[in-house]
Amino acid sequence: MPISIRQLAPSFAAEIRGVDLRHMPSQAVLDEIYDAFLEYGVIVLPGQALDLDQQLAFGRLFGPLHVLPPMKGPKRRIEDRAIDDVSNLKADGSLAGANSEKAMFALGNQLWHSDLSFCDNPAHASMLHATEIAEEGGETEFCDLVSAYETLDREMKAKIEGKIAVHSLAHSRVRGGHSEADVEYLLELRPPASQPLVRTHPETGKKALFIGAHVSKIEGLDETESADLIDTLLDHAPQPERVYSHRWAVNDLVIWDNRQTLHRGRPYDVDNVRRVMHRVTVDGDGPNVVDGKTIEPEIRRRPVRVPA
Ligand code: OGA
Ligand code: MN
């Protein structure tokens, strides 16, 4: 069966059918999937009944996977730290409850963000697979940052050109509900990183407005100016005409390009309803800023190959 690709939102996001990722795809099919990933920024592959090993194996085709650092707190439900357990469950598989660490991270995920933008080498792709879904709420929304950049007026483009943004997990987690007491720990776990505010995509060459909830300040501006600019840009980016809202079905695999999109989770009844997703994250080609200066990437396609 040939694969089919159907665009979902006006400027980005597409659905791909006709491939079963439990089996290694051919190089031709992998090329089509990777082309769509670059072109649309978000690809939805319904009906992928993957186990964790199959999800990991497919993820590795895109590049080296990000391994989460060891963290304090309750025992992990899934030991392998290349898998991010995006669920509201405890290690024993029961509901963790609204006051749990899990629920807190879910709240943080409800702010518009790009995965791992607080790392020197922020994420390339994220691959989220749905195992159990909420009947009500729990959608994931995506925002097209290329369109967000292109629709800025000329003055704003000039104002932000060459600016460096500091991205901090502690910053977004406090806004998401984590206590101030967690800040020190989070700063140590994930020290802030600098990213260009206007980011050139290393494979398409397109410019994106690389904003998000992790941005704590813009270098070279005073505190108020910086906070105002962040608010203005965070308000501009996720306008409805460049947002795709994904209503999950079990076995959807959604893959997004963190270099050209933002995403956020939507609320659901976290106390009573099980929502279980597993994320595999592919590392990027960073750092993007060295010694306070943006490194302009050499534009080339990442070699994405099916092993011989
Ligand atoms: C993520 C994320 C949002 C959601 O997995 O990176 O932000 O809807 N998820 O679960
Ligand atoms: Mn995320």
Side-chain angles (χ1 to χ4, degrees):
M1 189 166 52
I3 83 169
S4 73
I5 301 179
R6 176 174 74 94
Q7 187 161 334
L8 294 169
S11 67
F12 76 123
E15 182 183 84
I16 301 184
R17 292 187 181 267
V19 57
D20 180 349
L21 298 178
R22 286 176 301 180
H23 312 291
M24 211 29 96
S26 66
Q27 185 62 46
V29 166
L30 179 61
D31 287 343
E32 278 192 81
I33 293 172
Y34 198 75
D35 285 346
F37 160 79
L38 291 178
E39 179 177 349
Y40 295 99
V42 179
I43 50 176
V44 176
L45 297 111
Q48 303 296 333
L50 303 174
D51 63 26
L52 293 179
D53 286 336
Q54 290 161 337
Q55 189 181 348
L56 286 165
F58 182 70
R60 286 194 189 99
L61 297 180
F62 276 41
L65 301 185
H66 185 77
V67 178
L68 296 163
M71 280 186 66
K72 68 170 190 187
K75 182 175 156 26
R76 287 175 60 84
R77 189 174 64 88
I78 298 166
E79 298 234 349
D80 189 338
R81 284 185 284 105
I83 301 274
D84 198 335
D85 172 24
V86 184
S87 80
N88 56 345
L89 304 185
K90 292 196 278 213
D92 68 2
S94 64
L95 281 164
N99 296 320
S100 63
E101 185 94 350
K102 278 277 173 215
M104 210 87 102
F105 272 94
L107 272 181
N109 274 349
Q110 289 173 21
L111 304 171
W112 287 108
H113 66 282
S114 172
D115 289 332
L116 305 179
S117 73
F118 45 80
C119 295
D120 283 331
N121 182 11
H124 164 268
S126 296
M127 305 187 173
L128 192 60
H129 182 251
T131 305
E132 294 181 57
I133 58 167
E135 286 303 323
E136 252 177 78
E139 300 87 354
T140 306
E141 294 183 337
F142 298 90
C143 160
D144 174 4
L145 291 180
V146 174
S147 157
Y149 176 74
E150 285 171 354
T151 50
L152 292 171
D153 62 31
R154 201 171 327 144
E155 283 104 284
M156 185 55 96
K157 281 185 180 157
K159 180 171 176 173
I160 65 176
E161 189 59 38
K163 288 265 186 301
I164 306 286
V166 178
H167 292 239
S168 159
L169 181 64
H171 175 78
S172 53
R173 291 308 168 192
V174 168
R175 286 181 59 207
H178 274 250
S179 71
E180 294 281 347
D182 287 339
V183 167
E184 220 167 301
Y185 173 69
L186 288 173
L187 280 174
E188 205 174 297
L189 184 77
R190 296 293 206 180
S194 294
Q195 311 293 351
L197 188 51
V198 179
R199 182 173 178 195
T200 304
H201 193 292
E203 297 186 83
T204 66
K206 289 182 184 159
K207 286 182 172 187
L209 175 62
F210 201 59
I211 190 74
H214 300 311
V215 175
S216 60
K217 70 169 176 180
I218 312 285
E219 299 283 19
L221 301 182
D222 72 35
E223 216 174 297
T224 325
E225 265 184 319
S226 164
D228 287 351
L229 180 57
I230 293 168
D231 284 350
T232 303
L233 296 175
L234 272 178
D235 191 55
H236 169 80
Q239 291 297 310
E241 64 271 22
R242 48 179 159 268
V243 169
Y244 165 66
S245 177
H246 187 64
R247 165 127 283 283
W248 290 91
V250 168
N251 285 334
D252 281 350
L253 177 70
V254 178
I255 304 176
W256 62 89
D257 185 342
N258 286 290
R259 304 163 298 180
Q260 53 173 325
T261 59
L262 296 180
H263 62 282
R264 67 169 177 179
R266 301 301 289 152
Y268 66 102
D269 184 1
V270 70
D271 236 351
N272 300 300
V273 172
R274 295 165 62 92
R275 181 179 187 265
V276 184
M277 315 258 177
H278 300 123
R279 193 183 92 197
V280 162
T281 315
V282 183
D283 268 333
D285 309 298
N288 304 307
V289 172
V290 173
D291 293 334
K293 294 234 157 39
T294 298
I295 307 294
E296 278 303 329
E298 204 182 297
I299 311 302
R300 61 190 151 94
R301 201 173 187 280
R302 186 183 269 227
V304 169
R305 302 248 181 279
V306 173

